[in-house]
Amino acid sequence: MKTLVLVFHPDLSRSRANAALLSAARELPADTVTVRDEYALYPNGKIDVAAEQQLVEEHDRIVLQFPLYWYSSPALLKEWEDKVLEYGWAYGTDGEALVGKQIMVATTAGGPESEYQPVDNGATIGEVLSPYRMMARYTHAVWREPFVVFESMELDDAALADAGRRYQDALTAE
Ligand SMILES: Cc1cc2nc3c(=O)[nH]c(=O)nc-3n(C[C@H](O)[C@H](O)[C@H](O)COP(=O)(O)O)c2cc1C
């Protein structure tokens, strides 16, 4: 199983949670887990579509890692979806690139899990992440249970290290 971790954080030098998860992912064997800092690769937002598609084709599990921003992702992930998941490649005639591949979201939320409840017009984290689940469904990929770190701004070093270990487990689980 080859896993591709695409990290979408606008400034990892100011990140704690996503930086910790990225470091944990980079400790895994590089021949099975590829980790990419997408904002560093594309600082002007212009994505190399052919390179991204080739990487997806070479891996079995695609992990989209990002901090939750306004119940969604930083803008580059949306751009990545809009540009990389092309007609004729990801969907439509001959568009079968994602069929059978696993897709997993890994996200960090500033809020506690108790804020993600379906009461008073609220939504669960699963509902918040439903656009990604629907993307996986539309492309006939296999949706993996999201990896979520709540209260991401409150975690001390020990809690971040623990999240990193749990992330490694999630990335290497069959
Ligand atoms: C523009 C912006 C929007 C945010 N929106 C949300 C949000 O909708 N829900 C939430 O729980 N946290 C939200 N947060 C908090 C981030 O999720 C939090 O800063 C991030 O997970 C911390 O990760 P980091 O240490 O890798 O930067 C937001 C933060 C920013 C800067």
Side-chain angles (χ1 to χ4, degrees):
M1 166 84 64
K2 290 192 73 179
T3 298
L4 176 64
V5 182
L6 301 176
V7 181
F8 295 89
H9 191 294
D11 187 1
L12 276 166
S13 71
R14 292 158 64 96
S15 157
R16 287 187 74 237
N18 282 274
L21 296 182
L22 179 143
S23 299
R26 284 216 165 120
E27 286 172 10
L28 296 170
D31 56 336
T32 52
V33 181
T34 307
V35 184
R36 284 165 61 90
D37 174 357
E38 296 288 285
Y39 270 94
L41 287 164
Y42 307 116
N44 59 9
K46 194 165 168 12
I47 290 174
D48 183 338
V49 171
E52 295 293 317
Q53 289 181 342
Q54 186 179 338
L55 277 161
V56 169
E57 289 171 9
E58 290 168 354
H59 291 78
D60 311 297
R61 180 183 292 161
I62 316 304
V63 179
L64 305 172
Q65 182 192 320
F66 54 90
L68 202 63
Y69 280 4
W70 285 114
Y71 307 100
S72 181
S73 71
L76 189 63
L77 173 51
K78 183 64 166 61
E79 180 71 1
W80 185 93
E81 290 183 290
D82 294 352
K83 293 289 166 20
V84 176
L85 305 182
E86 285 180 319
Y87 178 89
W89 183 80
Y91 68 99
T93 308
D94 296 328
E96 297 179 344
L98 293 173
V99 175
K101 290 194 189 289
Q102 298 185 4
I103 292 185
M104 185 176 114
V105 163
T107 193
T108 64
E113 189 165 12
S114 57
E115 263 181 31
Y116 291 89
Q117 301 299 326
V119 293
D120 300 331
N121 286 328
T124 65
I125 196 70
E127 288 166 339
V128 170
L129 298 177
S130 63
Y132 307 99
R133 183 173 55 76
M134 294 302 286
M135 178 268 281
R137 180 174 182 266
Y138 194 71
T139 58
H140 302 284
V142 177
W143 178 242
R144 298 280 300 198
E145 193 59 30
F147 179 87
V148 183
V149 176
F150 291 102
E151 295 181 279
S152 56
M153 294 175 292
E154 320 296 329
L155 303 181
D156 62 18
D157 289 348
L160 282 177
D162 180 60
R165 279 189 294 274
R166 287 187 288 109
Y167 192 37
Q168 289 178 333
D169 290 345
L171 291 178
T172 51
E174 283 302 313

